[in-house]
Amino acid sequence: MAEKKTFPEHVAVIMDGNGRWAKAHNQPRLFGHNAGMQAMKRIVIAAQESGVRYLTVYAFSTENWKRSTEEVQGIFRLIVKYVESELRELKENNVHINILGDYSMLPEASVRSLETLIGETKVNDGLKFNICLNYGGRDEIARAVNELTVKRMEQGLTPAECPVTEEEIARYLYTGSEHFGIPDPDLIIRTSGEERMSNFLTWQAAYSELMFTDTLWPDFGPEEFKQMLSDFGKRDRRFGGRKEEGK
Ligand code: FPP
């Protein structure tokens, strides 16, 4: 039984509503993503200030490739801009960045920026800021199963002699100990009034608390974020046990 936490160690966010925000301001969608990037910077600071240990954001999914080339390329250009403008401050603030997802498929300039971001922050031991890029929860599970199958074949292990366990699958996810070693999210937030998971942290979200807000992502600020962190303490997490068992 997991221990009762009154504060979320790991908060994950589906940053939704940039397009609607842009439309409401009579602006192109990329204007909304740029405002979304500014909101993301504010939430990184708020997470640090509040003592969150891990912050994970869904920035580009394996399904987002279906959007127009202009929008997709615009989001990738934002990544380069983000690294140029934020790297110094992220380093000063001791933020450690991981990318969850196969970012090698992004344009070369974005890949180079991301490698700089990862390389220059890897010694930091403050907030672990995980950016999901070209990430899909089902894709992550399929990759993990493939990786562990190769390992098992090398070791000559069959499921009959040694059944595959949940722990073994979890170990090979991006968040698993074979990769970044990130605990499951305690709290998942989705903005913009949509209430679904959209292939985000599919395995890891099994026991996460979910919070939804109608606020569009570019308008989501530190105050609402900190209120949610505080509301988390009022949730009764039982992890499948009975109420009196939930420690
Ligand atoms: C969802 O809103 C948002 C995205 C798919 C992109 C999120 C990207 C950012 C916040 C910028 C990230 C920047 C970096 C540097 C990682 P939507 O477009 O689906 O909004 P809609 O549902 O209103 O159309």
Side-chain angles (χ1 to χ4, degrees), residues 14-23 29 32-40 57-61 64 67 71 75-83 99 114 117 129 131-133 190-192 194 196 216-218:
I14 303 179
M15 310 184 288
D16 197 9
N18 295 347
R20 277 162 285 166
W21 186 91
K23 195 167 179 202
R29 294 182 62 82
H33 292 315
N34 191 56
M37 183 174 85
Q38 306 306 327
M40 187 180 84
V57 297
Y58 205 8
F60 191 85
S61 75
N64 285 152
R67 297 186 178 206
E71 182 172 355
I75 294 176
F76 295 156
R77 278 198 304 275
L78 269 186
I79 293 171
V80 177
K81 187 169 149 189
Y82 175 72
V83 177
I99 307 298
L114 290 168
L117 190 62
F129 179 36
I131 307 176
C132 295
L133 285 169
R190 183 170 190 154
T191 57
S192 89
E194 309 290 343
R196 57 181 172 274
L216 301 175
W217 175 252

Side-chain angles (χ1 to χ4, degrees), residues 4-6 186-188 208-212 228-238 243 247:
K4 167 127 174 87
K5 285 185 188 167
T6 53
D186 301 297
L187 170 62
I188 299 180
S208 305
E209 291 296 322
L210 309 179
M211 289 190 193
F212 302 101
M228 286 176 162
L229 301 183
S230 146
D231 290 346
F232 173 87
K234 300 177 199 146
R235 296 274 179 109
D236 178 25
R237 301 180 85 197
R238 299 205 289 273
K243 191 174 176 62
K247 282 185 269 169

Side-chain angles (χ1 to χ4, degrees), residues 35-247:
M37 183 174 85
Q38 306 306 327
M40 187 180 84
K41 290 188 210 168
R42 293 191 290 269
I43 296 306
V44 170
I45 295 168
Q48 270 179 309
E49 285 172 357
S50 313
V52 168
R53 294 287 302 130
Y54 302 85
L55 176 70
T56 303
V57 297
Y58 205 8
F60 191 85
S61 75
T62 45
E63 288 72 37
N64 285 152
W65 293 99
K66 293 181 207 148
R67 297 186 178 206
S68 73
T69 310
E70 186 193 353
E71 182 172 355
V72 170
Q73 295 304 319
I75 294 176
F76 295 156
R77 278 198 304 275
L78 269 186
I79 293 171
V80 177
K81 187 169 149 189
Y82 175 72
V83 177
E84 277 169 6
S85 71
E86 296 308 299
L87 180 59
R88 207 184 69 188
E89 199 174 322
L90 290 164
K91 283 172 73 174
E92 278 168 12
N93 289 332
N94 200 21
V95 178
H96 177 124
I97 297 191
N98 295 316
I99 307 298
L100 275 55
D102 182 6
Y103 64 90
S104 70
M105 289 165 75
L106 271 54
E108 214 182 305
S110 308
V111 173
R112 269 202 311 272
S113 290
L114 290 168
E115 277 170 355
T116 305
L117 190 62
I118 297 163
E120 298 264 326
T121 63
K122 72 175 177 210
V123 296
N124 296 349
D125 60 2
L127 176 72
K128 304 266 189 276
F129 179 36
N130 311 304
I131 307 176
C132 295
L133 285 169
N134 191 21
Y135 172 89
R138 290 181 175 180
D139 176 69
E140 180 186 29
I141 295 167
R143 284 168 187 269
V145 170
N146 279 309
E147 207 179 314
L148 90 84
T149 304
V150 170
K151 283 274 155 57
R152 284 183 148 244
M153 282 169 71
E154 282 167 7
Q155 292 163 351
L157 290 177
T158 67
E161 324 168 302
C162 184
V164 175
T165 62
E166 290 182 20
E167 289 71 25
E168 194 177 4
I169 296 175
R171 212 163 64 226
Y172 288 91
L173 299 172
Y174 294 123
T175 49
S177 56
E178 295 287 332
H179 297 283
F180 298 124
I182 300 165
D184 289 347
D186 301 297
L187 170 62
I188 299 180
I189 297 169
R190 183 170 190 154
T191 57
S192 89
E194 309 290 343
E195 300 190 356
R196 57 181 172 274
M197 292 303 293
S198 301
N199 205 13
F200 184 48
L201 302 176
T202 307
W203 179 283
Q204 299 89 336
Y207 289 102
S208 305
E209 291 296 322
L210 309 179
M211 289 190 193
F212 302 101
T213 170
D214 287 339
T215 308
L216 301 175
W217 175 252
D219 289 332
F220 186 77
E223 203 174 312
E224 193 172 4
F225 180 69
K226 289 180 183 176
Q227 184 60 50
M228 286 176 162
L229 301 183
S230 146
D231 290 346
F232 173 87
K234 300 177 199 146
R235 296 274 179 109
D236 178 25
R237 301 180 85 197
R238 299 205 289 273
F239 299 94
R242 285 183 292 121
K243 191 174 176 62
E244 48 280 29
E245 287 172 349
K247 282 185 269 169

